[in-house]
Amino acid sequence: MTTTHDVYAPSFMTGDEFHIPTFRLLQQDGTLFEGAEAPELDEDKALKIYRAMLITRVLDERMMAAQRQGRLSFYMQCTGEEAAVIGATAALDDADMIMAQYREQGALVYRGFSYDEFMNQLFGNELDYGKGRQMPIHYGSRKLHYMTISSPLATQIPQATGYAYGQKLAGEGHCTITFFGEGAASEGDFHAALNMASVHKVPVIFFCRNNGYAISTPSSEQFAADGIAPRAFGYRMHVIRVDGNDVLAVYRATQEARKLAVEMNQPVLIEAMTYRLAAHSSSDDPSGYRSRKEEEAWREKDPILRMQRWLIERGWWSEEREKELQDSLRREVLETMKRAEKRPPPPLESLVTDVYADVTPALQRQLDALKTHIRKHPDAYPKGARSLDPDVKAPGGEHKAGDEQGGA
């Protein structure tokens, strides 16, 4: 259905007629803007949000260092975007589904994913829920309603629409939020998802982290329009643009978006304006496409520092508690990492399970051939050799698998 009025001479529009403001509450010094009203947030919940932001920052710093030491093959940081991810997650019901892209570990932290669970996935050991089949940072948790990460860009966006349609049919008062970057919004999946959500009126929140870059491509080279938010008009969808480094504004915006989604079955698009302070991934060097001056300007807008100042101003936090918490978190991360990297890999047999009810003869022959090959070349496959024969010592005097069960 279209709504229009007649004209009798050519009349073109560019979209410049629409202006989308940015919703803000908290200034960088930790005080509210004049006329702004903080959302209802008690001390316990505010500190839970802040703690999750700190944990995410410390986890990212330590694990990127571990990758540089050769202990991990790959890593991606959330640095600079903690307020966007965690502020939005805190505004949801814990049973709402989260479909993330790959930089939303803060959402898992907020919902209670432990350091052990993070480390088991990163190292792909025997306690990894994904049985070592995914590359690092591809987390998932059924109990925390966090769909397992997929590497292909933007696939989670139409999946979120479909899942939300099921939630609408179930009628239990839940919604789905899907996170993605502005680069993923250039994929066809984005448009298909928004169109389907709008037509079928499903309870889904599309949360775009506009951090300025699609890997190395700046937003100015990705699209000509005013960001991602105006695209909602093409689907007659509710939309809001928010300061993604303002955790209070993100929290409030997502609260209101959830009401529209759950109470009115209206999809919502949120564009959070933020900045990726870290590299795109451990494989990226941002010095090749952006300046140090630009990065430093955004470091002055650090979302963690902004919330810390607000908490101190309210008397809920102190510099002493900050130092104590950061020190304890760093110790805990290192201790957990050491436990996880010592655990053995998943059993070799798990390579051929979870597809068929019974392993097919063809798969069994392939598995047997693989075992023969590993036993013939144990030095080339030390972990696999120990998995098959726990008493076999790996080159260099590494621990035997049977010695690595402690700390589980």
Side-chain angles (χ1 to χ4, degrees), residues 103-373:
R103 207 181 299 281
E104 290 83 18
Q105 50 265 41
L108 277 172
V109 171
Y110 182 82
R111 287 194 171 179
F113 208 63
S114 70
Y115 277 141
D116 277 298
E117 289 173 303
F118 277 114
M119 298 299 174
N120 292 334
Q121 195 286 323
L122 291 170
F123 287 98
N125 63 35
E126 64 178 357
L127 298 182
D128 171 24
Y129 298 141
K131 302 182 181 180
R133 296 166 178 165
Q134 286 269 32
M135 63 190 292
I137 66 90
H138 287 54
Y139 313 109
S141 176
R142 183 188 298 270
K143 66 181 178 183
L144 298 180
H145 303 280
Y146 187 100
M147 189 68 71
T148 302
I149 302 297
S150 298
S151 288
L153 197 64
T155 55
Q156 78 278 10
I157 308 177
Q159 290 167 4
T161 294
Y163 197 93
Y165 185 72
Q167 289 172 315
K168 175 182 177 179
L169 296 179
E172 296 175 354
H174 297 306
C175 70
T176 294
I177 189 170
T178 179
F179 291 96
F180 52 93
E182 86 288 345
S186 295
E187 295 284 341
D189 283 355
F190 168 84
H191 297 281
L194 267 67
N195 187 58
M196 186 164 70
S198 186
V199 169
H200 292 287
K201 306 297 181 190
V202 301
V204 60
I205 301 170
F206 299 102
F207 195 102
C208 176
R209 298 177 289 93
N210 188 339
N211 63 23
Y213 289 90
I215 308 182
S216 60
T217 305
S219 57
S220 60
E221 296 179 18
Q222 295 178 54
F223 42 78
D226 177 26
I228 304 303
R231 300 183 190 183
F233 297 142
Y235 302 103
R236 206 177 186 191
M237 183 179 295
H238 288 80
V239 62
I240 187 170
R241 175 177 285 155
V242 62
D243 180 348
N245 286 19
D246 179 347
V247 70
L248 299 186
V250 172
Y251 178 79
R252 179 68 187 280
T254 310
Q255 270 188 323
E256 295 302 316
R258 187 181 187 277
K259 285 181 184 177
L260 287 168
V262 172
E263 296 175 12
M264 300 177 62
N265 281 318
Q266 292 289 342
V268 181
L269 173 62
I270 298 176
E271 182 180 23
M273 309 306 291
T274 182
Y275 190 82
R276 192 194 73 216
L277 285 175
H280 171 74
S281 74
S282 55
S283 305
D284 176 45
D285 178 9
S287 67
Y289 54 85
R290 67 188 192 190
S291 68
R292 182 65 59 88
K293 184 178 179 181
E294 176 183 306
E295 291 180 357
E296 289 305 316
W298 276 95
R299 287 190 191 283
E300 294 297 318
K301 303 174 185 178
D302 189 328
I304 291 181
L305 190 57
R306 193 184 305 193
M307 188 178 192
Q308 178 198 108
R309 289 167 176 165
W310 179 73
L311 291 171
I312 291 174
E313 193 266 339
R314 295 180 70 87
W316 290 352
W317 199 243
S318 67
E319 292 182 4
E320 293 76 17
R321 292 178 68 184
E322 176 82 14
K323 184 180 186 308
E324 182 182 329
L325 178 58
Q326 290 220 26
D327 289 345
S328 67
L329 290 177
R330 288 191 175 94
R331 285 194 303 272
E332 190 177 351
V333 168
L334 291 172
E335 290 168 2
T336 310
M337 180 172 64
K338 289 175 183 177
R339 288 199 301 269
E341 64 183 345
K342 288 181 179 179
R343 293 188 181 115
L348 202 59
E349 285 75 9
S350 67
L351 277 173
V352 296
T353 60
D354 301 324
V355 176
Y356 301 100
D358 298 303
V359 177
T360 64
L363 280 176
Q364 189 60 53
R365 286 194 298 272
Q366 291 177 46
L367 180 62
D368 292 341
L370 175 62
K371 289 179 178 180
T372 299
H373 180 76

Side-chain angles (χ1 to χ4, degrees), residues 4-75:
T4 187
H5 65 276
D6 296 335
V7 295
Y8 304 102
S11 177
F12 297 95
M13 300 178 70
T14 64
D16 292 340
E17 299 83 1
F18 304 105
H19 174 70
I20 300 179
T22 301
F23 175 49
R24 291 187 169 96
L25 292 175
L26 196 59
Q27 300 182 83
Q28 193 59 35
D29 64 3
T31 62
L32 294 171
F33 284 98
E34 185 177 352
E37 222 175 279
E40 291 185 14
L41 201 60
D42 61 32
E43 181 177 355
D44 287 344
K45 186 155 190 172
L47 290 178
K48 181 180 179 182
I49 292 171
Y50 184 66
R51 180 181 170 85
M53 292 170 72
L54 270 185
I55 290 173
T56 304
R57 180 70 62 90
V58 171
L59 176 71
D60 284 349
E61 289 173 353
R62 295 297 92 197
M63 299 321 296
M64 181 58 80
Q67 194 279 333
R68 293 299 187 236
Q69 294 167 356
R71 299 162 85 172
L72 276 184
S73 61
F74 180 79
Y75 196 74

